[in-house]
Amino acid sequence: MLTPRHQALLMTLAGMTVGVVAFGTVVAVNGGNPFAAHDAPVSIVSPSPSSTPSHGDGLAGDNLQYVLQNFGTDDDPVSAEVPTGWKSSQGGTRPKYVDPTGVWQLRFDTRGSKQSPDQLVKNRERSIDEKDLRVLNRDDGLLVYTYTDKARGPRMGLSRWISLDNGKSTAVEITVGGRPQDEAGLRAVLQHATDTLKLPVAPGDNRPN
């Protein structure tokens, strides 16, 4: 017969055995690691980038691609390359191509003028009625200026008048618009439009396209 002391000892051993079995069950469920639930890595989900393009750094001319556009009239067709994705709501002699966000634009006026490019630079400068107007350049048929638009804030415009008769008259005006921080990109767009511009040449006329 077991004494009370022996009975107490057996109960203690039985309790320890149950505890070990229970612990072993937890280990098996957790794949051999009792702390697996705490060691599992936490998945960090990065926010998706905004679909709205950022314009804080200005227009990057090096990243632009171009496509040929035709305008003018049937009798006097004109063509030039404009940035891909910039659309015009009208053709004819005064098309204006605007980027999808509305920040930048490129406009042509192919009606021509009997006035010289320098005269048209002076006329345009006098006609601009904008707040904080500041003219940065007015030489060689090019007008560069900044102003403040009530709705869009600081803006920049570059207008070039192109002559085909050594400056006696003007054939085409090309204007680009954006913001002051876009100046390098706007100059690139203006130069590319000038370089790719093709105008009709009358029979017997030796002027270049």
Side-chain angles (χ1 to χ4, degrees):
M1 179 179 294
L2 296 176
T3 65
R5 181 180 179 182
H6 289 162
Q7 291 178 354
L9 179 59
L10 288 176
M11 292 178 64
T12 300
L13 292 174
M16 291 177 62
T17 301
V18 172
V20 170
V21 172
F23 182 81
T25 302
V26 172
V27 170
V29 171
N30 288 329
N33 182 1
F35 307 107
H38 301 285
D39 291 342
V42 177
S43 177
I44 300 176
V45 179
S46 301
S48 300
S50 172
S51 59
T52 302
S54 174
H55 304 289
D57 296 333
L59 178 62
D62 294 341
N63 296 333
L64 290 173
Q65 296 181 341
Y66 295 86
V67 62
L68 183 67
Q69 296 287 353
N70 298 294
F71 42 93
T73 65
D74 292 338
D75 293 333
D76 294 307
V78 181
S79 66
E81 293 187 3
V82 308
T84 302
W86 293 25
K87 303 296 184 181
S88 178
S89 59
Q90 63 182 31
T93 59
R94 301 184 68 189
K96 181 174 72 172
Y97 298 89
V98 181
D99 85 285
T101 65
V103 177
W104 309 300
Q105 64 184 36
L106 167 62
R107 180 174 59 82
F108 297 88
D109 188 340
T110 66
R111 295 174 298 174
S113 172
K114 293 182 179 180
Q115 298 185 70
S116 69
D118 288 339
Q119 290 174 319
L120 293 176
V121 166
K122 295 177 181 178
N123 293 344
R124 177 63 55 80
E125 181 181 353
R126 288 194 295 263
S127 68
I128 298 175
D129 184 17
E130 298 288 354
K131 181 181 178 182
D132 302 326
L133 176 65
R134 180 186 177 193
V135 175
L136 306 180
N137 183 84
R138 57 170 69 85
D139 299 325
D140 300 323
L142 176 66
L143 179 65
V144 181
Y145 54 95
T146 59
Y147 62 95
T148 301
D149 183 83
K150 294 180 180 180
R152 296 181 291 179
R155 299 289 293 174
M156 168 173 274
L158 297 87
S159 295
R160 172 177 287 165
W161 287 267
I162 298 173
S163 174
L164 299 178
D165 55 6
N166 297 317
K168 296 179 181 179
S169 63
T170 300
V172 177
E173 174 197 339
I174 306 176
T175 295
V176 292
R179 305 159 306 170
Q181 64 263 41
D182 300 320
E183 181 175 359
L186 293 175
R187 286 183 178 274
V189 172
L190 178 61
Q191 188 61 50
H192 192 87
T194 302
D195 292 341
T196 59
L197 182 67
K198 292 186 178 181
L199 301 169
V201 178
D205 193 337
N206 295 321
R207 293 177 298 181
N209 290 338

